[in-house]
Amino acid sequence: YGVMTADCGVDGLEMANQLSPALVLTDWAVGSMSGPELISSFKSDPEMGFIPAVLLTSKSDGESWRAGLESGADAFLGKPFSRLELASTVESLLRLKKTENSAREQSRYLEAIFESMRDGVLVLSEQCHVQEVNPSMAEMLGRPLAELAGTHFFDLLESYDFVRLAGVESVVKNDEPVTVVFSCGDQESIALSVSGVELRNLDGRRSGYLLTARDQRRAQEMMLQESRQLAELAETRDEIERRTEG
């Protein structure tokens, strides 16, 4: 490993800010800033909070270990420790960090897809309260994202809508999209084509629902617009070819 060293906690924190290291290894006593204080300082920074930290200490009392845990230390090594213990701890934390980084990147990728989808998306709790909603859905309903969060799904529907009477299961258990009439406040209501699936925990228990909604009229308009754009591009290309041949 490439290793950088600091003479005290203050210097170590400054170095961590500058270099964003893969891992921080610190003694308990490191000058005016203790090891737990150093760890707590960079763990509270959103840009560095994911960096694993190992705290080296000869302290064995419960109060000290509790202070270390509260600082955010990911591992403790009691003195004296062997080189094998140190290497094993470092390798384990770096493997865990790699896994977490991959999960974080995947989460960002999925979030980008969620935000950019043309179809509306609603993530509901098991009690049918809105947990997540994407911009397309908010635009279809003519409501701000913040207003939709926490709202009960049925409160978004017109009082006469079938799903409000039959429940979300009527959407989830249907093989074909279901037409759902949403209330848009002071605006006209809107009928959307909705499909859904159940969300389940690792133990198989239902945790909520994922619904996707499409405005068929809007989809048709967009297809028509794209067709017109393609036709214009084709005409432009033909005109350029004619001029080139001339």
Side-chain angles (χ1 to χ4, degrees), residues 31-139:
S32 59
M33 176 182 285
S34 69
E37 289 173 336
L38 166 62
I39 294 172
S40 179
S41 293
F42 75 78
K43 285 285 188 179
S44 62
D45 186 335
E47 298 296 324
M48 298 195 296
F50 60 89
I51 299 174
V54 182
L55 184 60
L56 311 178
T57 179
S58 57
K59 298 178 181 289
S60 57
D61 62 284
E63 189 67 29
S64 296
W65 281 76
R66 183 162 55 252
L69 285 171
E70 290 176 352
S71 73
D74 297 279
F76 292 86
L77 280 179
K79 298 179 183 179
F81 54 84
S82 67
R83 295 179 65 181
L84 180 59
E85 285 181 289
L86 176 59
S88 177
T89 300
V90 169
E91 288 173 5
S92 295
L93 288 176
L94 290 180
R95 279 199 303 270
L96 179 61
K97 182 189 176 187
K98 184 177 181 180
T99 301
E100 290 176 344
N101 285 345
S102 297
R104 192 179 296 110
E105 287 301 317
Q106 185 177 20
S107 177
R108 289 173 181 168
Y109 174 70
L110 293 175
E111 184 177 351
I113 293 177
F114 179 78
E115 294 291 329
S116 61
M117 284 182 65
R118 290 182 178 178
D119 288 349
V121 180
L122 285 170
V123 179
L124 308 179
S125 68
E126 189 176 8
Q127 292 74 35
C128 294
H129 288 93
V130 177
Q131 293 181 319
E132 299 285 343
V133 56
N134 72 338
S136 291
M137 190 71 201
E139 183 181 348

Side-chain angles (χ1 to χ4, degrees), residues 15-241:
M15 188 176 293
N17 275 308
Q18 293 176 350
L19 302 177
S20 188
L23 180 141
V24 170
L25 182 69
T26 178
D27 202 337
W28 189 287
V30 280
S32 59
M33 176 182 285
S34 69
E37 289 173 336
L38 166 62
I39 294 172
S40 179
S41 293
F42 75 78
K43 285 285 188 179
S44 62
D45 186 335
E47 298 296 324
M48 298 195 296
F50 60 89
I51 299 174
V54 182
L55 184 60
L56 311 178
T57 179
S58 57
K59 298 178 181 289
S60 57
D61 62 284
E63 189 67 29
S64 296
W65 281 76
R66 183 162 55 252
L69 285 171
E70 290 176 352
S71 73
D74 297 279
F76 292 86
L77 280 179
K79 298 179 183 179
F81 54 84
S82 67
R83 295 179 65 181
L84 180 59
E85 285 181 289
L86 176 59
S88 177
T89 300
V90 169
E91 288 173 5
S92 295
L93 288 176
L94 290 180
R95 279 199 303 270
L96 179 61
K97 182 189 176 187
K98 184 177 181 180
T99 301
E100 290 176 344
N101 285 345
S102 297
R104 192 179 296 110
E105 287 301 317
Q106 185 177 20
S107 177
R108 289 173 181 168
Y109 174 70
L110 293 175
E111 184 177 351
I113 293 177
F114 179 78
E115 294 291 329
S116 61
M117 284 182 65
R118 290 182 178 178
D119 288 349
V121 180
L122 285 170
V123 179
L124 308 179
S125 68
E126 189 176 8
Q127 292 74 35
C128 294
H129 288 93
V130 177
Q131 293 181 319
E132 299 285 343
V133 56
N134 72 338
S136 291
M137 190 71 201
E139 183 181 348
M140 289 179 192
L141 300 183
R143 302 190 183 189
L145 287 168
E147 179 184 310
L148 293 171
T151 303
H152 196 283
F153 177 62
F154 293 163
D155 291 338
L156 300 177
L157 311 183
E158 289 290 1
S159 58
Y160 55 81
D161 185 79
F162 171 77
V163 174
R164 184 164 185 163
L165 303 174
V168 180
E169 288 77 8
S170 62
V171 175
V172 173
K173 294 180 179 180
N174 203 312
D175 294 332
E176 298 294 330
V178 175
T179 299
V180 181
V181 183
F182 288 83
S183 171
C184 298
D186 296 333
Q187 303 176 25
E188 290 185 18
S189 57
I190 183 172
L192 301 177
S193 181
V194 180
S195 302
V197 294
E198 290 184 345
L199 300 176
R200 294 189 175 273
N201 294 322
L202 293 177
D203 59 6
R205 291 184 300 174
R206 187 176 63 197
S207 61
Y209 307 91
L210 174 66
L211 304 181
T212 58
R214 174 172 295 183
D215 184 348
Q216 295 294 350
R217 293 173 304 175
R218 181 182 179 188
Q220 291 173 358
E221 290 173 358
M222 292 182 68
M223 289 178 62
L224 181 60
Q225 183 179 359
E226 290 175 354
S227 297
R228 288 172 177 168
Q229 290 175 341
L230 288 173
E232 290 174 359
L233 287 173
E235 290 178 1
T236 302
R237 182 197 60 193
D238 292 343
E239 179 65 23
I240 292 174
E241 288 179 353

